[in-house]
Amino acid sequence: PRKQYRVVDALPNRDMTLARNRLNAQLGPLMETFLGDIADQAQKEILESCYVHSRSVQAASIGLKQVIDDTLPRLLREHGTTTITTKRGNNDEFEKEINTAIQVPNYHLYLLLGGIGAGKSTFTKRYIKITGAAALHDKAVHFYINLLGTTLDPKDLERQWYRHILEELRARYDDLVVENRKTLKEIYRKELSVLYESRYKVEGLKQEELERKFSEEIERLRQDSSNYTLRLLEICKQRNRAVVVFIDNVDQLPAEYQAQVFLLAQK
Protein backbone atom coordinates (compact mmCIF):
# COMPACT_ATOMS: atom_id res chain seq x y z
CA PRO A 1 0.00 0.00 0.00
CA ARG A 2 1.17 3.51 -0.80
CA LYS A 3 1.30 6.05 2.01
CA GLN A 4 -0.77 9.14 1.36
CA TYR A 5 0.84 12.51 2.12
CA ARG A 6 -0.95 15.80 2.67
CA VAL A 7 0.53 19.29 2.64
CA VAL A 8 -1.26 20.13 5.87
CA ASP A 9 0.76 17.44 7.68
CA ALA A 10 3.92 19.53 7.23
CA LEU A 11 2.45 22.81 8.49
CA PRO A 12 3.51 24.04 11.94
CA ASN A 13 0.68 24.71 14.40
CA ARG A 14 -1.77 23.11 12.01
CA ASP A 15 -4.12 22.28 14.91
CA MET A 16 -4.25 25.88 16.09
CA THR A 17 -7.72 27.41 16.29
CA LEU A 18 -8.61 29.17 13.05
CA ALA A 19 -9.81 32.74 13.65
CA ARG A 20 -12.76 33.64 11.45
CA ASN A 21 -12.92 37.14 10.02
CA ARG A 22 -16.07 39.24 9.83
CA LEU A 23 -16.93 38.03 6.32
CA ASN A 24 -17.11 34.39 7.32
CA ALA A 25 -20.72 34.55 8.47
CA GLN A 26 -21.79 35.85 5.06
CA LEU A 27 -19.47 33.85 2.81
CA GLY A 28 -19.40 30.60 4.80
CA PRO A 29 -22.81 29.27 3.69
CA LEU A 30 -22.07 30.12 0.04
CA MET A 31 -18.71 28.38 0.14
CA GLU A 32 -20.22 25.29 1.75
CA THR A 33 -23.11 25.15 -0.72
CA PHE A 34 -21.21 25.62 -3.97
CA LEU A 35 -17.65 24.51 -3.16
CA GLY A 36 -18.39 21.80 -0.57
CA ASP A 37 -19.56 18.25 -1.16
CA ILE A 38 -22.40 18.79 -3.62
CA ALA A 39 -23.43 15.13 -3.52
CA ASP A 40 -24.46 15.19 0.14
CA GLN A 41 -26.70 18.22 -0.08
CA ALA A 42 -30.47 17.89 0.11
CA GLN A 43 -31.26 20.09 -2.88
CA LYS A 44 -31.09 18.01 -6.04
CA GLU A 45 -30.74 21.19 -8.12
CA ILE A 46 -27.27 21.77 -6.67
CA LEU A 47 -26.08 18.37 -7.91
CA GLU A 48 -27.73 18.91 -11.30
CA SER A 49 -26.22 22.36 -11.85
CA CYS A 50 -22.82 21.97 -10.17
CA TYR A 51 -21.84 18.59 -11.63
CA VAL A 52 -19.95 20.57 -14.27
CA HIS A 53 -19.51 19.66 -17.92
CA SER A 54 -17.82 22.66 -19.53
CA ARG A 55 -15.98 22.98 -22.84
CA SER A 56 -13.05 24.74 -21.19
CA VAL A 57 -12.59 21.91 -18.68
CA GLN A 58 -12.85 19.31 -21.45
CA ALA A 59 -10.26 21.18 -23.50
CA ALA A 60 -7.89 21.28 -20.53
CA SER A 61 -8.51 17.59 -19.93
CA ILE A 62 -7.67 16.72 -23.52
CA GLY A 63 -4.45 18.73 -23.31
CA LEU A 64 -3.51 17.05 -20.03
CA LYS A 65 -4.11 13.57 -21.47
CA GLN A 66 -1.51 14.29 -24.15
CA VAL A 67 1.03 14.44 -21.32
CA ILE A 68 -0.48 12.13 -18.67
CA ASP A 69 -2.95 9.41 -19.62
CA ASP A 70 -4.62 7.42 -16.84
CA THR A 71 -5.37 4.15 -18.63
CA LEU A 72 -6.73 0.87 -17.36
CA PRO A 73 -4.13 -1.73 -16.37
CA ARG A 74 -4.01 -4.66 -18.79
CA LEU A 75 -5.17 -7.11 -16.08
CA LEU A 76 -8.39 -5.12 -15.57
CA ARG A 77 -9.02 -4.78 -19.32
CA GLU A 78 -8.65 -8.54 -19.77
CA HIS A 79 -11.34 -9.10 -17.12
CA GLY A 80 -13.87 -6.82 -18.78
CA THR A 81 -13.30 -3.56 -16.93
CA THR A 82 -14.36 -0.54 -18.97
CA THR A 83 -13.77 3.20 -18.67
CA ILE A 84 -16.86 5.18 -17.64
CA THR A 85 -17.43 8.58 -19.18
CA THR A 86 -20.09 11.00 -17.98
CA LYS A 87 -22.29 13.29 -20.02
CA ARG A 88 -24.78 15.93 -19.05
CA GLY A 89 -27.86 13.69 -19.27
CA ASN A 90 -26.73 10.26 -18.12
CA ASN A 91 -23.97 7.92 -16.95
CA ASP A 92 -23.92 5.93 -20.19
CA GLU A 93 -22.38 2.46 -19.64
CA PHE A 94 -22.97 2.39 -15.89
CA GLU A 95 -26.62 3.35 -16.23
CA LYS A 96 -27.23 0.75 -18.94
CA GLU A 97 -25.55 -1.98 -16.88
CA ILE A 98 -27.59 -1.29 -13.74
CA ASN A 99 -30.86 -0.96 -15.66
CA THR A 100 -30.22 -4.34 -17.30
CA ALA A 101 -29.23 -5.99 -14.00
CA ILE A 102 -32.39 -4.73 -12.28
CA GLN A 103 -34.59 -6.56 -14.75
CA VAL A 104 -32.99 -10.02 -14.49
CA PRO A 105 -33.19 -12.47 -11.55
CA ASN A 106 -29.45 -13.13 -11.38
CA TYR A 107 -27.20 -11.35 -8.91
CA HIS A 108 -24.55 -8.90 -10.08
CA LEU A 109 -21.63 -7.24 -8.34
CA TYR A 110 -20.05 -4.10 -9.80
CA LEU A 111 -16.81 -2.49 -8.68
CA LEU A 112 -16.43 1.23 -9.35
CA LEU A 113 -12.69 1.84 -9.43
CA GLY A 114 -10.77 5.12 -9.28
CA GLY A 115 -8.20 6.95 -7.24
CA ILE A 116 -9.04 8.71 -3.97
CA GLY A 117 -10.78 11.97 -4.85
CA ALA A 118 -11.58 10.91 -8.41
CA GLY A 119 -15.29 11.47 -7.78
CA LYS A 120 -16.64 7.95 -7.22
CA SER A 121 -18.94 8.97 -4.38
CA THR A 122 -20.30 11.98 -6.25
CA PHE A 123 -20.78 9.83 -9.35
CA THR A 124 -22.71 7.22 -7.34
CA LYS A 125 -24.90 9.73 -5.51
CA ARG A 126 -25.63 11.52 -8.78
CA TYR A 127 -26.81 8.21 -10.22
CA ILE A 128 -29.04 7.54 -7.20
CA LYS A 129 -30.56 11.02 -7.11
CA ILE A 130 -30.73 11.97 -10.78
CA THR A 131 -29.70 9.75 -13.68
CA GLY A 132 -30.87 6.45 -12.18
CA ALA A 133 -33.64 7.79 -9.94
CA ALA A 134 -36.50 6.66 -12.19
CA ALA A 135 -35.27 3.08 -12.56
CA LEU A 136 -34.49 2.72 -8.85
CA HIS A 137 -37.87 4.17 -7.85
CA ASP A 138 -39.99 2.11 -10.23
CA LYS A 139 -38.16 -1.23 -10.32
CA ALA A 140 -36.06 -1.56 -7.19
CA VAL A 141 -35.52 -0.91 -3.52
CA HIS A 142 -32.10 0.60 -2.96
CA PHE A 143 -29.87 1.18 0.03
CA TYR A 144 -26.75 3.31 0.46
CA ILE A 145 -24.08 2.22 2.95
CA ASN A 146 -21.30 4.72 3.66
CA LEU A 147 -18.19 3.14 5.18
CA LEU A 148 -16.34 6.42 5.74
CA GLY A 149 -15.10 6.54 9.32
CA THR A 150 -16.02 2.91 10.06
CA THR A 151 -14.40 1.77 13.31
CA LEU A 152 -16.14 -1.56 13.82
CA ASP A 153 -14.35 -4.86 13.83
CA PRO A 154 -14.53 -6.28 10.27
CA LYS A 155 -16.47 -9.25 11.66
CA ASP A 156 -19.25 -6.88 12.81
CA LEU A 157 -19.75 -5.25 9.41
CA GLU A 158 -22.38 -7.74 8.26
CA ARG A 159 -24.57 -7.22 11.30
CA GLN A 160 -24.23 -3.45 10.92
CA TRP A 161 -25.22 -3.60 7.24
CA TYR A 162 -28.35 -5.63 7.91
CA ARG A 163 -29.35 -3.25 10.69
CA HIS A 164 -28.88 -0.26 8.39
CA ILE A 165 -30.87 -1.89 5.59
CA LEU A 166 -33.68 -2.76 7.99
CA GLU A 167 -33.84 0.83 9.24
CA GLU A 168 -33.95 2.15 5.68
CA LEU A 169 -36.55 -0.43 4.70
CA ARG A 170 -38.81 0.74 7.51
CA ALA A 171 -38.22 4.42 6.83
CA ARG A 172 -38.62 4.51 3.04
CA TYR A 173 -40.47 1.36 2.00
CA ASP A 174 -43.03 0.85 4.75
CA ASP A 175 -45.80 0.98 2.13
CA LEU A 176 -44.20 -1.88 0.19
CA VAL A 177 -43.37 -4.11 3.15
CA VAL A 178 -45.86 -3.75 5.99
CA GLU A 179 -44.55 -5.43 9.14
CA ASN A 180 -47.93 -6.56 10.45
CA ARG A 181 -48.88 -9.95 11.84
CA LYS A 182 -49.98 -11.25 8.45
CA THR A 183 -46.58 -10.49 6.95
CA LEU A 184 -44.67 -12.00 9.86
CA LYS A 185 -46.68 -15.21 9.74
CA GLU A 186 -46.06 -15.45 6.01
CA ILE A 187 -42.29 -15.04 6.14
CA TYR A 188 -42.05 -17.65 8.91
CA ARG A 189 -44.73 -19.89 7.46
CA LYS A 190 -42.51 -22.97 7.17
CA GLU A 191 -41.16 -22.71 10.71
CA LEU A 192 -44.64 -22.22 12.18
CA SER A 193 -46.02 -25.12 10.14
CA VAL A 194 -43.31 -27.48 11.39
CA LEU A 195 -43.89 -26.33 14.95
CA TYR A 196 -47.62 -26.87 14.64
CA GLU A 197 -47.34 -30.34 13.12
CA SER A 198 -44.64 -31.53 15.51
CA ARG A 199 -45.96 -30.09 18.75
CA TYR A 200 -49.07 -27.94 18.95
CA LYS A 201 -51.35 -30.15 16.86
CA VAL A 202 -51.22 -33.04 19.30
CA GLU A 203 -51.74 -30.69 22.25
CA GLY A 204 -55.15 -29.70 20.89
CA LEU A 205 -54.65 -26.01 21.65
CA LYS A 206 -57.50 -23.56 21.15
CA GLN A 207 -57.05 -20.93 18.46
CA GLU A 208 -56.37 -18.12 20.91
CA GLU A 209 -53.70 -20.12 22.74
CA LEU A 210 -52.21 -21.28 19.42
CA GLU A 211 -51.89 -17.71 18.18
CA ARG A 212 -50.19 -16.72 21.41
CA LYS A 213 -47.68 -19.55 20.98
CA PHE A 214 -47.07 -18.46 17.39
CA SER A 215 -46.46 -14.88 18.56
CA GLU A 216 -43.80 -16.05 21.00
CA GLU A 217 -42.10 -18.11 18.29
CA ILE A 218 -42.19 -15.23 15.79
CA GLU A 219 -40.64 -12.90 18.33
CA ARG A 220 -37.88 -15.43 18.97
CA LEU A 221 -37.16 -15.82 15.26
CA ARG A 222 -37.05 -12.07 14.77
CA GLN A 223 -34.11 -11.81 17.15
CA ASP A 224 -31.93 -12.95 14.25
CA SER A 225 -32.08 -9.53 12.59
CA SER A 226 -29.92 -10.54 9.62
CA ASN A 227 -32.21 -13.42 8.66
CA TYR A 228 -35.28 -11.29 9.35
CA THR A 229 -34.04 -8.52 7.04
CA LEU A 230 -33.32 -11.01 4.26
CA ARG A 231 -36.85 -12.38 4.49
CA LEU A 232 -38.32 -8.90 4.21
CA LEU A 233 -36.17 -8.27 1.13
CA GLU A 234 -37.54 -11.49 -0.35
CA ILE A 235 -41.00 -9.91 -0.15
CA CYS A 236 -39.68 -7.01 -2.21
CA LYS A 237 -38.43 -9.44 -4.85
CA GLN A 238 -41.77 -11.25 -4.88
CA ARG A 239 -43.35 -7.88 -5.69
CA ASN A 240 -41.04 -7.43 -8.68
CA ARG A 241 -38.60 -5.07 -6.99
CA ALA A 242 -34.89 -5.71 -7.36
CA VAL A 243 -32.66 -5.15 -4.34
CA VAL A 244 -29.78 -2.74 -5.01
CA VAL A 245 -27.13 -1.96 -2.39
CA PHE A 246 -24.51 0.77 -2.87
CA ILE A 247 -21.41 0.40 -0.67
CA ASP A 248 -19.33 3.58 -0.71
CA ASN A 249 -15.85 4.64 0.45
CA VAL A 250 -14.47 1.11 0.60
CA ASP A 251 -11.05 2.40 -0.49
CA GLN A 252 -10.84 4.57 2.64
CA LEU A 253 -10.58 1.46 4.83
CA PRO A 254 -7.57 -0.73 5.73
CA ALA A 255 -6.92 -3.80 3.60
CA GLU A 256 -8.53 -6.28 6.03
CA TYR A 257 -11.75 -4.26 5.92
CA GLN A 258 -11.71 -4.10 2.13
CA ALA A 259 -11.36 -7.87 1.85
CA GLN A 260 -14.31 -8.40 4.23
CA VAL A 261 -16.42 -5.86 2.35
CA PHE A 262 -15.80 -7.65 -0.95
CA LEU A 263 -16.77 -11.01 0.55
CA LEU A 264 -19.94 -9.54 2.07
CA ALA A 265 -20.85 -7.89 -1.21
CA GLN A 266 -20.57 -11.26 -2.96
CA LYS A 267 -22.74 -12.84 -0.25
Side-chain angles (χ1 to χ4, degrees):
R2 291 180 296 178
K3 181 174 176 56
Q4 302 292 328
Y5 294 93
R6 301 183 303 165
V7 175
V8 70
D9 293 334
L11 295 179
N13 301 323
R14 61 181 181 271
D15 294 329
M16 186 173 62
T17 301
L18 179 64
R20 304 290 185 181
N21 63 30
R22 60 186 179 82
L23 295 177
N24 179 71
Q26 287 73 36
L27 296 181
L30 293 174
M31 299 286 285
E32 179 64 28
T33 299
F34 295 104
L35 298 179
D37 189 346
I38 62 175
D40 280 336
Q41 300 187 40
Q43 296 185 23
K44 188 174 67 174
E45 291 77 13
I46 296 292
L47 187 55
E48 289 177 323
S49 301
C50 297
Y51 197 84
V52 178
H53 299 270
S54 67
R55 292 182 179 179
S56 59
V57 172
Q58 291 174 355
S61 178
I62 292 174
L64 183 62
K65 284 187 176 180
Q66 294 177 352
V67 182
I68 303 174
D69 192 9
D70 187 12
T71 59
L72 287 172
R74 185 175 66 181
L75 176 65
L76 295 181
R77 289 200 306 270
E78 291 175 349
H79 285 77
T81 303
T82 59
T83 300
I84 295 178
T85 57
T86 61
K87 296 182 180 179
R88 185 177 298 276
N90 55 38
N91 288 331
D92 287 352
E93 297 92 345
F94 183 80
E95 187 173 358
K96 294 176 183 177
E97 283 284 348
I98 301 299
N99 288 346
T100 300
I102 285 176
Q103 301 180 52
V104 298
N106 299 329
Y107 293 96
H108 295 267
L109 173 64
Y110 296 95
L111 293 178
L112 187 61
L113 305 174
I116 295 177
K120 299 183 297 298
S121 294
T122 303
F123 177 90
T124 302
K125 293 174 184 177
R126 179 173 179 259
Y127 173 80
I128 295 173
K129 295 181 179 180
I130 300 176
T131 58
L136 293 176
H137 181 271
D138 297 336
K139 302 174 183 177
V141 292
H142 71 277
F143 309 93
Y144 176 83
I145 298 175
N146 187 1
L147 298 181
L148 190 62
T150 297
T151 57
L152 292 174
D153 187 289
K155 297 178 181 178
D156 293 330
L157 283 178
E158 182 172 5
R159 183 166 49 85
Q160 182 195 40
W161 288 13
Y162 280 121
R163 184 168 61 249
H164 175 82
I165 290 174
L166 182 58
E167 291 173 355
E168 286 286 291
L169 194 62
R170 288 170 171 168
R172 296 192 291 115
Y173 300 107
D174 58 332
D175 57 334
L176 182 66
V177 180
V178 182
E179 293 181 84
N180 54 24
R181 183 174 179 79
K182 179 180 179 182
T183 301
L184 297 180
K185 289 184 70 174
E186 178 59 29
I187 64 176
Y188 292 121
R189 179 173 52 83
K190 291 183 179 179
E191 286 83 353
L192 296 179
S193 177
V194 170
L195 190 61
Y196 174 75
E197 292 293 335
S198 64
R199 182 175 177 182
Y200 297 147
K201 185 176 182 179
V202 297
E203 293 181 4
L205 298 177
K206 294 181 179 180
Q207 188 63 33
E208 182 178 343
E209 179 65 15
L210 182 62
E211 291 298 327
R212 189 180 67 80
K213 293 286 188 180
F214 280 164
S215 296
E216 294 174 355
E217 182 64 16
I218 289 173
E219 188 59 32
R220 186 188 69 80
L221 292 170
R222 286 180 64 190
Q223 298 308 308
D224 185 350
S225 59
S226 300
N227 181 268
Y228 178 63
T229 303
L230 283 176
R231 295 189 184 221
L232 293 180
L233 293 177
E234 283 294 331
I235 295 178
C236 298
K237 293 170 59 181
Q238 292 168 9
R239 296 177 180 174
N240 297 318
R241 293 289 193 98
V243 177
V244 182
V245 181
F246 297 92
I247 306 167
D248 199 6
N249 288 309
V250 181
D251 58 342
Q252 303 280 354
L253 302 177
E256 62 269 23
Y257 276 94
Q258 295 190 32
Q260 184 67 10
V261 168
F262 183 77
L263 291 175
L264 287 178
Q266 290 281 12
K267 181 178 179 180

